């Protein structure tokens, strides 16, 4: 298989150098933009937009991870709160039983010394002395021991619930910050796009992707990947890009792949970083339809992902400007994405 590897480059300068076949005309910037130079070439603007899209993708994947963590914490909190309710009910029942025993003994002539000790002293003192005189004392000691253990477990569960709630609040705050970061980055991008003419804006916003139909040959797909590939193909030019979305009409990059494999009955991780970590790494020469293509690698993992569909082509939820589009690994293709590939993987 001929190599179609996208250049593994990062940074604004290298990204700009990788953009070929784009008219390098000068673009006048509107007042208030943050560029140092008064003008930029279209190639430079394209590289800047690509960089901003990558920043938004990173924040978006962090937002997805925070949402996922929140859901898990909420499940944990719900479980603990249910457990606390059950434990409190059982404890109330045991203490009621002890109270009834004390009342019965009082009516019959007085409370036993061991029960008096249980009611009037610390549990530790009671448990160290009770249960040695007779059978009744032994039963009372067992009841007191159960109550003491249940109180201790109840206290532990309340502490765990409080800690989980505190962590949940932190995760919510992080998610809000990531969402704010996305909005800030996208506002910068829209301001930059606004400096272009309509044709230039369409070229730059697409980022090499195309929502138009792909007419080239694609291999037949069998097995569980067939449903996943059919799913992503059905979303081209019909689904938008929304951070945190997993369908049916809006997706982010990892959300599209997550939903596609879910349609095939296969559960995969939610974010691109988690998908890369769980995938079986493969070389480009081994790519088959349904495989992952990861882009923009970093120390924490890739920030973008698409699905390979064959013949050097892939489909991905690209960005808010174009939604779900075709892309190519071949630099000579009109669908070439200009996104640096970090790795390939298989579900």
């Amino acid at each position: 298989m001929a190599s179609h590897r996208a250049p593994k480059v990062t940074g604004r300068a290298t990204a700009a150098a990788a953009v070929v076949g784009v008219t390098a005309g000068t673009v006048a910037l509107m007042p208030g933009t943050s560029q140092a130079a008064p003008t930029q070439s279209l190639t430079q603007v394209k590289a800047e937009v690509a960089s901003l899209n990558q920043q938004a993708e990173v924040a978006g994947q962090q937002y997805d991870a925070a949402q996922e963590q929140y859901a898990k914490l909420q499940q944990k909190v719900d479980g603990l709160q249910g457990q606390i309710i059950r434990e409190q009910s059982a404890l109330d029942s045991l203490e009621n039983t002890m109270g009834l025993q004390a009342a019965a003994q009082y009516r019959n002539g007085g409370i036993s010394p061991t029960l008096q000790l249980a009611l009037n002293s610390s549990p530790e003192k009671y448990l160290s002395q009770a249960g040695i005189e007779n059978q009744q004392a032994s039963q009372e000691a067992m009841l007191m021991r159960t109550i003491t253990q249940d109180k201790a477990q109840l206290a532990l569960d309340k502490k765990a619930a409080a800690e989980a709630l505190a962590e949940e609040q932190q995760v919510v705050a992080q998610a809000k910050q990531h969402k704010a970061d996305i909005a800030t980055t996208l506002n910068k991008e829209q301001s930059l796009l606004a400096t272009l003419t309509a044709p230039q804006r369409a070229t730059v916003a697409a980022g090499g992707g195309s929502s138009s139909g792909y007419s080239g040959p694609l291999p037949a797909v069998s097995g569980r990947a067939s449903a996943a590939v059919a799913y992503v193909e059905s979303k081209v030019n019909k689904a938008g890009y929304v951070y945190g979305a997993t369908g049916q009409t809006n997706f982010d990059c990892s959300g599209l792949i997550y939903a596609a494999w879910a349609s095939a009955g296969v559960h995969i991780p939610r974010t691109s970083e988690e998908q890369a970590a769980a995938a079986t790494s493969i070389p480009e020469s081994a790519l088959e339809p349904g495989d992952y293509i990861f882009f923009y690698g970093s120390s924490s993992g890739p920030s973008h992902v698409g699905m390979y569909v064959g013949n050097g082509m892939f489909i991905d939820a690209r960005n808010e400007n174009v939604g779900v589009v075709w892309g190519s690994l071949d630099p000579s293709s009109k669908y070439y994405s200009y996104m640096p590939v970090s790795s390939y993987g298989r579900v």
Side-chain angles (χ1 to χ4, degrees):
M1 175 178 175
S3 175
H4 301 304
R5 184 182 301 277
K8 295 191 176 183
V9 293
T10 57
R12 187 173 304 166
T14 51
V19 180
V20 294
V22 179
T23 303
T26 298
V27 180
L29 291 176
M30 297 177 65
T33 56
S34 60
Q35 307 302 317
T39 60
Q40 280 187 305
S41 71
L42 188 58
T43 297
Q44 291 171 323
V45 173
K46 187 177 180 68
E48 176 69 7
V49 169
S51 175
L52 289 169
N53 277 328
Q54 182 189 359
Q55 293 172 37
E57 284 274 17
V58 170
Q61 293 302 297
Q62 291 172 334
Y63 173 77
D64 289 346
Q67 290 287 84
E68 188 177 31
Q69 186 180 2
Y70 170 81
K72 291 178 180 178
L73 284 169
Q74 186 60 56
Q75 188 176 26
K76 179 180 180 180
V77 168
D78 290 344
L80 284 168
Q81 288 177 337
Q83 188 171 327
I84 287 169
I85 291 172
R86 292 190 296 272
E87 289 172 350
Q88 185 66 63
S89 177
L91 182 59
D92 291 343
S93 178
L94 287 172
E95 290 182 327
N96 183 58
T97 298
M98 176 164 279
L100 290 174
Q101 285 188 5
Q105 289 181 21
Y106 182 79
R107 288 194 300 269
N108 293 327
I111 301 175
S112 69
T114 53
L115 190 53
Q116 288 180 356
L117 184 62
L119 296 172
N120 298 324
S121 66
S122 68
E124 293 79 8
K125 182 179 179 182
Y126 172 78
L127 292 174
S128 67
Q129 298 182 29
I132 58 173
E133 296 179 1
N134 52 47
Q135 184 177 3
Q136 181 180 356
S138 179
Q139 291 173 345
E140 292 165 355
M142 184 178 298
L143 180 61
M144 187 60 184
R145 183 177 289 108
T146 302
I147 290 174
T148 302
Q149 291 171 344
D150 285 357
K151 283 184 176 180
Q153 185 61 52
L154 182 61
L156 287 174
D157 289 341
K158 285 182 176 180
K159 180 182 178 183
E163 291 173 347
L165 280 170
E167 186 177 359
E168 188 178 67
Q169 290 172 351
Q170 290 180 341
V171 169
V172 169
Q174 290 170 357
K176 288 181 179 179
Q177 183 58 56
H178 294 320
K179 199 166 186 178
D181 291 343
I182 293 170
T184 298
T185 302
L186 293 178
N187 285 337
K188 291 179 181 178
E189 180 179 322
Q190 292 306 312
S191 295
L192 189 57
L193 289 172
T195 67
L196 308 178
T197 65
Q200 289 172 331
R201 188 160 52 249
T203 299
V204 171
S210 175
S211 58
S212 62
Y214 171 72
S215 58
L218 290 175
V221 187
S222 60
R224 63 181 188 171
S226 60
V229 170
Y231 187 91
V232 296
E233 288 181 348
S234 73
K235 300 302 179 181
V236 175
N237 200 30
K238 295 180 181 177
Y241 189 107
V242 173
Y243 290 96
T246 58
Q248 295 290 322
T249 58
N250 292 302
F251 305 86
D252 60 16
C253 67
S254 57
L256 174 65
I257 309 304
Y258 177 88
W261 277 108
S263 74
V266 180
H267 177 76
I268 63 171
R270 173 62 182 88
T271 70
S272 60
E273 294 177 358
E274 293 170 329
Q275 289 168 1
T280 299
S281 181
I282 58 172
E284 181 185 357
S285 60
L287 278 172
E288 296 178 358
D291 288 340
Y292 298 108
I293 303 178
F294 297 108
F295 303 89
Y296 299 114
S298 68
S299 58
S300 60
S303 59
H304 191 80
V305 61
M307 180 178 289
Y308 185 71
V309 294
N311 196 32
M313 299 294 294
F314 64 90
I315 294 172
D316 65 321
R318 186 66 55 86
N319 55 53
E320 284 200 333
N321 298 311
V322 294
V324 179
V325 294
W326 293 94
S328 175
L329 296 172
D330 184 355
S332 67
S333 171
K334 68 177 182 179
Y335 301 104
Y336 185 57
S337 69
Y338 301 103
M339 297 185 297
V341 175
S342 59
S343 63
Y344 307 95
R346 182 161 296 157
V347 174

